[in-house]
C-alpha cells in the first residue's frame, strides 16, 4: 500500500538526517494526500517528531526502522546526469544560449497552473529527444509552452519546423520576439485555448508533440487528444510530463489506459526528470492544499520540491484522439481531488 | 513508420563512422525484422554499401542525410551511468562480491533461451531497486534466474527473503551452493516449470517480483501471470526486462495492455538497461534468423548487441493474473514471428 511505502521512505531518509516537509514531498514518489496522511499517523504514533521546521525520527522510529530492515539511505542516483540518462556536457553551449534567450522570461502565473521547468532540465529534455532521434529534421508541435522549450529546440538548430499553441499571449509574444531577433523562420506561434477544437491546419502534420498537461485525468485526456490529432500517423512520437505529487498511481493507471487506447505504446518513463521553479511565495499565499492540509505548521519552501517524470510515447497505429471538438470545461480542467499544488 | 526511423538512425550513425551489422542492431531501437528489411532497401537504393564487414554511407547516402536534416550523431548518453540513472560508485564492493560469487557460473544454454546479463548490469538492477526502496526488508520472488540476480540481492544484505523459481537444476544448485557457503539462510530455491500452476505456498506472499521473460506475447503473459499471482496485493512491485530487438512496438503495446489489465501501472521504463552476454559462437551456429535473414554476409558478433529495457510496474489494485492453472505450450512459448535471436 502507498502508506507503507511512504513510511519506509520516511524512515530511510530520516535515519540519514532530519528533513523539512518540502524535502520529504520531493523525495517520496507518492501523491501528496497520502504523504500528508501518513506523516500525520507517524506523528500521532510517536514515530516522528517535528521541531524547528524539521522532521526527526524518535527512538521509537529508529526501533521501527530496525524491525522493518530499513537502514540509512545511501543514494545511488547518478551524480552526472541526476537520473536523466543524458549528459549536458556536449551541449553546454545550448544551456548557455537558452539561459541567455530566456533571461527576462514572463513571470509564471500560478492561477493559470503555470510554473516553469528549470532551464537545465528544459535543455536536458531537448537533448533526450535528440538522443532518441526525435528532433532532427522533424516537425514538432508544442501545446502550452511556459517552459519556453520551443526556444531551446530552435536554438539547437535541429528541428525542421516548430509550432507553439499557447493560451498566454505574453508567452507567445516573448517566443516570437526572441525568434525574430535570432532570425529563426521555422517557428509558428498561435494563441489557442485547449478547449477549442484543434484548427484544421494542424491536423495530421507533425512528427512529434511535446506538452506539459494539467494533472487531472480529463485535462490530460484533453491535452493529449489535441496533440495526438496533430500527429502524422504510425511512428509519430509524443513527449509529456507527469508528476507523482498530484497524480496517484491509480491516476497513472487511468492515463496509461488512455494512452494505449489512443494507439500509443510507452517507450520511456524517466523518473524525476523535471524540477519546477514554482513561485515560492505563492505556495504559502494561494491557499493550496499542500499547505492547508499539511500535518504541521510549515514555512515557505526552501527547495524546489515539485518534480515530474518524462514520458515518451510511440504511435503503433493511426493515433486516435479520445476527445474531439469543443469542450466546455471550466475549473475542473485544472482541479481534482489530488490537485494539492493547484489553485482551487 | 518504423522503417523511416531505422533509416534516420542509420544515416546519423554512419555519418560519424562505418559500423558492423551487430552495432547497428544494438544502437537502433527497432525490431530486427524491420532493421533487416530497411537495410536491404537502403543497399538496393545505393544509400548504403557494405564492404569488409562494415556498412558505409554512399555519396547518395550523404546527400539523403542532408536533405532530411540529419547530421553526425553526437551521443549525449551519460558517461557515468550509461543511461541507467544509478551509479555503481557507492556499491563497488557489491560488484566485486557478485563477480567473485558468479566466477564459475553455469554456461548459458542458447536452446533454452538462456543468455545472461552482464555482471555490472545485474548489480545495477539491484541498485536501481534499492534506490526505489524495493529491496530493504522485502520478500522477493524471482521467476527464472540464469542472471543469478538472487546472489546479488543476497550479497547486498538488504532483502528479508529471496525465493528463486527456475527450471534449470544446474542454476538452482549453483545458487544454493553459494548461499550455503556464505551462510545466507534467507534463500529458498525451487525447481519450477512456468507451464505448471504456481504452487499454493507462493501465492500472495511477496512484495516484489523480478523476471526476465521470454519475448512472445503469450510467454510474457504467462511469466507475468505467475509472478503477479505471487504478490501480496495493492502496492506490490514487479521488475522485468523487455527488448526492442525481438519485440516490435506493436508487441510492446500488447504487453502494456496486459500489464494494465492485471491491475498494474508502469512507473519506470529505462532504455537499454541490460546488455546480454550471449554465446557469440552460437549466434552463427544455431541457424538464428538474425543471421539467416541478414541483408549481407556477416561475421561472428564483435560486440554484445543484445540489450533490453528495464520495466518497473506497481499494483494499483489487487493483482489479477491473466493465466491461471496449467498450460500445455511447447515451442510457441519461446518462439513467434519476431523471435530472431531465439532457436526455432
Amino acid at each position: 500500500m502507498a502508506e507503507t511505502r511512504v513510511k519506509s521512505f520516511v524512515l530511510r531518509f530520516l535515519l540519514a538526517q532530519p528533513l523539512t516537509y518540502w524535502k520529504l514531498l520531493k523525495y517520496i514518489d507518492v501523491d501528496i494526500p497520502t504523504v500528508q496522511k501518513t506523516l500525520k499517523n507517524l506523528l500521532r504514533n510517536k514515530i516522528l517528531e517535528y521541531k524547528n521546521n524539521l522532521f526527526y525520527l524518535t527512538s521509537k522510529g529508529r526501533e521501527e526502522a530496525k524491525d522493518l530492515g530499513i537502514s540509512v539511505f545511501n543514494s545511488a542516483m547518478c551524480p552526472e546526469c541526476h537520473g536523466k540518462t543524458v549528459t549536458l556536457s556536449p551541449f553546454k553551449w545550448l544551456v548557455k544560449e537558452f539561459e541567455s534567450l530566456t533571461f527576462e522570461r514572463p513571470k509564471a502565473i500560478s492561477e493559470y497552473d503555470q510554473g516553469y521547468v528549470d532551464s537545465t532540465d528544459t535543455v536536458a529534455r531537448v537533448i533526450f529527444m535528440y538522443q532518441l532521434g526525435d528532433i532532427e529534421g522533424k516537425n514538432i508541435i508544442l501545446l502550452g509552452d511556459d517552459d519556453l522549450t520551443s526556444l531551446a529546440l530552435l536554438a539547437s538548430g535541429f528541428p525542421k519546423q516548430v509550432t507553439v499553441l499557447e493560451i498566454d499571449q505574453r508567452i507567445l509574444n516573448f517566443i516570437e520576439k526572441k525568434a525574430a531577433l535570432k532570425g529563426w523562420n521555422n517557428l509558428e506561434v498561435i494563441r489557442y485555448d485547449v478547449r477549442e477544437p484543434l484548427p484544421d491546419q494542424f491536423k495530421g502534420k507533425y512528427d512529434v508533440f511535446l506538452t506539459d498537461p494539467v494533472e487531472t485525468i480529463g485535462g490530460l485526456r484533453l491535452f493529449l487528444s489535441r496533440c495526438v490529432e496533430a500527429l502524422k500517423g504510425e511512428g509519430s512520437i509524443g513527449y509529456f510530463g507527469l508528476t507523482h505529487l498530484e497524480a496517484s498511481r491509480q491516476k497513472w493507471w487511468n492515463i496509461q489506459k488512455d494512452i494505449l487506447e489512443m494507439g500509443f505504446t510507452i517507450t520511456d518513463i524517466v523518473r524525476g526528470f523535471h524540477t519546477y521553479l514554482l513561485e515560492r511565495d505563492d505556495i504559502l499565499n494561494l491557499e493550496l492544499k499542500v499547505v492547508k492540509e499539511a500535518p504541521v505548521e510549515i514555512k515557505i519552501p526552501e527547495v524546489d520540491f515539485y518534480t515530474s517524470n518524462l514520458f515518451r510515447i510511440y504511435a503503433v497505429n493511426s493515433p486516435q484522439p479520445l476527445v474531439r471538438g469543443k469542450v466546455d470545461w471550466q475549473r475542473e480542467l485544472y482541479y481534482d481531488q489530488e490537485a494539492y499544488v493547484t489553485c482551487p
Side-chain angles (χ1 to χ4, degrees), chain A:
Chain A
M1 270 178 33
E3 282 180 61
T4 315
R5 186 166 179 82
V6 175
K7 184 177 169 182
S8 311
F9 271 92
V10 167
L11 294 175
R12 75 198 310 221
F13 292 141
L14 296 187
L15 277 175
Q17 57 180 315
L19 291 174
T20 62
Y21 174 65
W22 301 110
K23 285 212 174 116
L24 285 175
L25 286 183
K26 185 182 174 87
Y27 298 146
I28 299 173
D29 68 347
V30 177
D31 56 287
I32 298 174
T34 305
V35 175
Q36 288 179 336
K37 189 175 155 196
T38 312
L39 289 176
K40 275 176 200 166
N41 283 333
L42 294 174
L43 284 164
R44 191 179 312 123
N45 296 326
K46 312 257 188 266
I47 303 286
L48 295 186
E49 53 185 346
Y50 185 73
K51 48 189 185 193
N52 301 326
N53 209 30
L54 291 170
F55 284 94
Y56 291 81
L57 283 192
T58 61
S59 56
K60 189 181 169 196
R62 285 171 198 279
E63 278 303 309
E64 183 83 357
K66 208 172 165 187
D67 292 349
L68 293 171
I70 290 169
S71 58
V72 178
F73 181 54
N74 183 11
S75 179
M77 177 179 282
C78 177
E80 166 71 24
C81 72
H82 306 288
K84 294 186 173 58
T85 77
V86 290
T87 173
L88 291 169
S89 304
F91 293 94
K92 283 204 177 123
W93 59 271
L94 186 54
V95 179
K96 273 204 183 137
E97 173 75 6
F98 182 65
E99 280 172 351
S100 125
L101 279 165
T102 58
F103 179 60
E104 292 193 308
R105 66 197 304 165
K107 187 172 179 294
I109 302 179
S110 304
E111 285 86 341
Y112 291 173
D113 197 40
Q114 290 180 350
Y116 55 79
V117 166
D118 176 82
S119 290
T120 45
D121 293 353
T122 299
V123 177
R125 179 163 54 186
V126 168
I127 302 310
F128 187 92
M129 295 169 73
Y130 166 78
Q131 185 74 7
L132 299 198
D134 296 331
I135 298 187
E136 274 194 313
K138 303 293 186 190
N139 291 330
I140 304 171
I141 189 163
L142 292 88
L143 175 50
D145 193 24
D146 51 331
D147 298 334
L148 307 175
T149 310
S150 56
L151 291 176
L153 285 165
L154 290 164
S156 77
F158 294 132
K160 186 172 175 188
Q161 167 74 28
V162 174
T163 299
V164 178
L165 308 184
E166 164 67 55
I167 196 169
D168 185 345
Q169 191 65 50
R170 298 175 312 148
I171 291 171
L172 294 171
N173 292 347
F174 185 85
I175 293 170
E176 205 164 27
K177 205 178 94 190
K178 292 291 173 181
L181 275 170
K182 287 282 173 183
W184 295 325
N185 52 18
N186 54 342
L187 167 74
E188 188 179 13
V189 302
I190 294 92
R191 184 151 199 271
Y192 172 66
D193 181 334
V194 71
R195 291 171 297 188
E196 298 295 326
L198 187 74
D200 281 343
Q201 75 261 36
F202 303 118
K203 289 184 185 164
K205 292 283 171 29
Y206 294 88
D207 302 296
V208 177
F209 78 74
L210 180 63
T211 188
D212 197 3
V214 297
E215 304 274 338
T216 61
I217 293 175
L220 266 148
R221 183 178 293 158
L222 181 62
F223 271 74
L224 293 180
S225 289
R226 302 306 190 204
C227 286
V228 153
E229 204 167 8
L231 293 182
K232 280 180 184 167
E234 192 207 319
S236 297
I237 304 286
Y239 284 90
F240 65 95
L242 180 63
T243 177
H244 64 265
L245 288 167
E246 297 193 277
S248 65
R249 295 302 181 185
Q250 181 64 56
K251 200 194 265 185
W252 277 52
W253 186 90
N254 284 286
I255 291 157
Q256 293 185 352
K257 197 157 181 295
D258 277 1
I259 289 168
L260 296 188
E261 217 168 301
M262 288 192 268
F264 290 78
T265 191
I266 306 162
T267 66
D268 302 80
I269 304 178
V270 187
R271 187 173 276 261
F273 198 98
H274 314 102
T275 297
Y276 293 74
L277 309 178
L278 303 181
E279 295 294 331
R280 294 187 185 176
D281 290 331
D282 287 355
I283 303 288
L284 284 198
N285 298 338
L286 286 173
E287 299 271 300
L288 307 177
K289 279 184 171 176
V290 69
V291 173
K292 280 203 307 184
E293 314 273 327
V296 287
E297 200 172 318
I298 51 169
K299 295 210 173 122
I300 194 167
E302 82 292 354
V303 64
D304 294 308
F305 71 97
Y306 202 93
T307 64
S308 78
N309 306 276
L310 179 61
F311 273 65
R312 178 179 182 271
I313 63 178
Y314 178 99
V316 294
N317 293 309
S318 174
Q320 297 299 327
L322 295 179
V323 183
R324 292 172 196 267
K326 187 175 158 75
V327 298
D328 188 28
W329 301 348
Q330 301 300 325
R331 201 62 210 161
E332 70 268 29
L333 179 59
Y334 298 102
Y335 200 70
D336 67 10
Q337 292 208 323
E338 298 178 0
Y340 270 52
V341 195
T342 306
C343 290

